[in-house]
């Protein structure tokens, strides 16, 4: 059974070294988290699984790793300077700030209904209600007061300001000159690095439509209220694809990617039955989107929340960068003919005429993926002897540690040296991390490896080195299976093949 509450996951993550609060020794920094010894392994494994499936296993994809800080013009012409904002509302009584839609969502149903009634909107159409509140700020603050919208911090009805848009981009100065123009932005999505490199990739790879560019990397959003552990953070990581297609074929490709992505989540242990597909209402679409499917995973405690967005970005981004480049005089006119301006275009596969392709963008958050994967793997079991155990039933390819090699006696050279040799041999298979662990207490080691999801523990004992009671067990080890708890005696000479076959 998956985790039933966020608290269970938070506690496991801290206890076993998956995730820590950022800048913790100075009191922590809200919205920033650090990934610990096991967290970094799990995160890397998720990213590797995504890259393998979307880049290596396809023949229509290229990879990219663009810089995080971007020219302010990129984010001006992408529309982010003007529109990448969330509605913010303050309580004048205690100066607490909230994201308007989150504040409203946290209210009781009758309060939400009252706000909707005052605004003349349907309470069941949340997106339209939020859009109306944003469009009429003075009426919104009055509606919040009259409907008795409570401040989640104080629990009292607030004295609400008019909502106003808060731009979520982090701005930073660049270089030693601090004039008005020497600034850039930390990218709020990895996507813009792909669009600005579109021409470079096409020219250097001779790609033709349809094809995609994939990128995994950090993005930054100054969220008004970061919350729910790593679900909503200010420094996040995204796994994004911009898939470029012939205009007119975009809707078909949108469906293709929806299917592909659901299948991928399933392969990571996140079943379809736990994901609702939200066809995002028009009022809620991002400025670039023609249509978006949000994959809403059923997170413990939170309920259905977005884990991935699959957007049809049309020709918005390449089109607007091309247009602004021409306006700014940044594109070279190859000839006098206006058609030959070096636009962000690609030849149409049939007519060979330059075309600005449409783009399908599957965009998944690594942090939200971690939370979903951990939540699905988290299992509490009662054993035959009545004891309870917590076990992370991670798919083997995601497990932070693949195999733990444990010498039964840590001070006996003949045993530890065999264990170390086995560790080195298994590590050489390239399966991921193999851990040599001589903490001394085998029971504790098993419990720990259950909780961090290690598929196999290999124990080297006196029998292994011919000093036990059963001579027939010489040169064999005990392999314990995380899920079945079965313990099997395997010959050292056959161990590598045995482990490889099981992990495959
Ligand atoms: P939300 O509505 O939850 O704020 P969004 O619609 O702004 O999310 P997108 O812009 O579609 O999110 O970003 C793509 C993906 O990046 C999301 O599906 C999510 O997995 C991840 N993501 C976005 N914002 C955050 C955040 N603040 N913290 C963690 N992950 C995030």
């Amino acid at each position: 059974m998956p985790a039933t509450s966020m608290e269970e996951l938070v506690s496991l993550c801290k206890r076993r070294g998956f995730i820590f609060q950022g800048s913790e020794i100075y009191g922590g920094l809200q919205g920033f988290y650090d990934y610990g010894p096991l967290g970094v392994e799990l995160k890397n494994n998720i990213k590797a699984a995504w890259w393998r499936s979307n880049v290596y296993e396809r023949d229509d994809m290229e990879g990219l790793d663009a810089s995080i800080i971007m020219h302010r013009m990129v984010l001006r012409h992408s529309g982010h300077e003007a529109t990448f904002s969330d509605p913010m509302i303050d309580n004048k009584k205690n100066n607490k700030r909230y994201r308007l839609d989150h504040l409203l969502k946290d209210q009781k149903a009758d309060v939400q209904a009252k706000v909707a009634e005052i605004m003349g909107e349907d309470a069941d159409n949340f997106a339209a209600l939020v859009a109306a509140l944003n469009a009429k700020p003075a009426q919104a603050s009055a509606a919040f007061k009259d409907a008795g919208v409570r401040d989640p911090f104080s629990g009292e009805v607030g004295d609400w300001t008019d909502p106003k848009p808060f731009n979520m981009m982090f701005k930073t100065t660049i270089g030693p000159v601090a004039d008005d123009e020497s600034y850039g932005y930390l990218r709020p999505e990895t996507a813009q690095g792909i669009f600005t490199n579109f021409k470079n990739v096409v020219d250097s790879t001779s790609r033709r439509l349809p094809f995609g560019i994939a990128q995994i990397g950090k993005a930054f959003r100054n969220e008004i209220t970061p919350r729910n552990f790593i679900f909503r953070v200010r420094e996040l990581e995204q796994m994004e694809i911009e898939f470029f297609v012939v205009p007119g074929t975009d809707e078909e490709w949108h469906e293709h990617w929806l299917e592909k992505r659901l299948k991928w989540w399933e392969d990571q242990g996140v079943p379809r039955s736990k994901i609702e597909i939200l066809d995002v209402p028009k009022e809620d679409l991002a400025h670039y989107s023609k249509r978006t499917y949000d994959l809403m995973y059923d997170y413990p405690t939170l309920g259905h929340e977005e884990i991935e967005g699959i957007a049809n970005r049309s020709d918005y981004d390449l089109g607007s960068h091309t247009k602004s480049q021409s306006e700014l005089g940044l594109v070279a006119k190859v000839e006098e003919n206006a058609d030959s301006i070096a636009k962000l275009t690609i030849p149409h596969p049939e007519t060979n005429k330059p075309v600005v392709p449409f783009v399908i963008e599957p965009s998944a958050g690594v942090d939200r993926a971690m939370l979903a994967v951990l939540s699905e793997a988290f299992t509490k079991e009662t054993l035959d002897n009545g004891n309870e155990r917590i076990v992370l039933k991670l798919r083997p390819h995601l497990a932070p540690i693949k195999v733990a090699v444990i010498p039964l006696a840590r001070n006996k050279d003949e045993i530890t040296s065999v264990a170390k040799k086995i560790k080195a041999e298994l590590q050489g298979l390239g399966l991921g991390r193999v851990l040599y662990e001589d903490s001394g207490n085998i029971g504790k080691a098993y419990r720990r490896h259950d909780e961090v999801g290690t598929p196999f523990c290999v124990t080297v004992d006196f029998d292994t080195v011919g000093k036990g009671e059963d001579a027939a067990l010489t040169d064999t080890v005990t392999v314990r299976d995380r899920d079945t708890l079965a313990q099997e005696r395997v010959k050292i000479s056959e161990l590598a093949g045995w482990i490889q076959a099981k992990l495959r």
Side-chain angles (χ1 to χ4, degrees), residues 33-99:
Y33 284 89
D34 299 337
Y35 287 86
L38 295 171
V40 63
E41 297 292 341
L42 176 55
K43 207 178 187 205
N44 284 343
N45 291 342
I46 291 174
K47 292 190 280 184
W50 185 92
W51 196 263
R52 212 164 37 238
S53 153
N54 291 297
V55 182
Y56 296 165
E57 289 171 11
R58 297 184 66 107
D59 291 313
D60 54 5
M61 194 75 72
E62 299 289 350
L64 184 78
D65 183 17
S67 63
I68 285 171
I69 295 179
M70 301 196 80
H71 199 293
R72 62 201 158 84
M73 284 303 179
V74 172
L75 291 145
R76 176 166 306 167
H77 294 288
S78 66
H80 285 79
E81 260 190 1
T83 63
F84 194 66
S85 53
D86 276 336
M88 181 171 71
I89 189 163
D90 295 2
N91 180 3
K92 285 188 248 175
K93 286 184 184 166
N94 59 6
N95 296 324
K96 290 277 170 206
R97 307 202 124 154
Y98 297 99
R99 195 172 129 175

Side-chain angles (χ1 to χ4, degrees), residues 373-384:
V373 162
L374 282 169
S375 158
E376 284 301 323
F378 187 97
T379 312
K380 244 187 208 167
E381 285 177 353
T382 308
L383 302 174
D384 291 345

Side-chain angles (χ1 to χ4, degrees), residues 85-90 97-107 112 115 119 126-144 149-150 152 160-166 224-225 227:
S85 53
D86 276 336
M88 181 171 71
I89 189 163
D90 295 2
R97 307 202 124 154
Y98 297 99
R99 195 172 129 175
L100 176 132
D101 52 334
H102 288 171
L103 178 64
L104 189 57
K105 211 172 229 165
D106 288 346
Q107 302 298 309
Q112 288 184 17
V115 172
M119 297 300 293
F126 192 78
L129 174 57
V130 171
L133 289 162
N134 288 333
K136 299 173 207 158
Q139 211 181 322
S141 51
F144 269 38
V149 168
R150 289 184 183 274
W160 301 107
T161 59
D162 295 354
K164 57 174 188 238
F166 171 76
I224 298 167
T225 42
R227 56 186 190 168

Side-chain angles (χ1 to χ4, degrees), residues 402-403 405 416-436 458 460 475 477 490-500 503:
K402 309 298 179 199
V403 183
V405 184
T416 53
S417 62
V418 173
K420 281 181 184 161
K421 243 171 90 188
I422 292 175
K423 134 89 200 196
E425 189 196 352
L426 296 181
Q427 192 61 69
L429 299 176
L431 302 166
R433 182 149 205 209
V434 176
L435 191 74
Y436 169 82
V458 170
V460 179
D475 292 332
V477 287
V490 179
K491 282 191 187 147
I492 295 177
S493 58
E494 291 170 7
L495 183 64
W498 190 97
I499 295 271
Q500 260 176 324
L503 286 179

Side-chain angles (χ1 to χ4, degrees), residues 45 205 207 248 258 293 421 460 470 485 503:
N45 291 342
T205 62
R207 281 284 178 190
L258 175 61
Y293 295 127
K421 243 171 90 188
V460 179
D470 189 348
L485 295 176
L503 286 179

Side-chain angles (χ1 to χ4, degrees), residues 31 84 86 99 101-102 168 188-189 220-221 223 226-227 229-240 265 284 286 288 292 294-295 299 305-311 313 361-369:
F84 194 66
D86 276 336
R99 195 172 129 175
D101 52 334
H102 288 171
M168 289 192 289
E189 55 175 12
F220 299 80
R221 298 181 178 189
E223 296 277 355
R227 56 186 190 168
F229 194 36
I230 53 167
F231 177 81
R232 187 170 299 285
V233 287
R234 288 178 167 141
E235 176 175 335
L236 54 132
E237 199 157 4
Q238 292 181 314
M239 305 181 281
E240 291 197 311
W265 284 110
D284 240 6
Y288 49 72
T292 296
D294 279 348
L295 306 189
Y299 286 97
E305 292 285 351
E306 180 179 334
I307 191 168
E308 170 160 3
I310 306 172
R313 289 180 83 129
E361 177 198 68
S363 170
V366 180
D367 314 84
R368 291 186 189 181

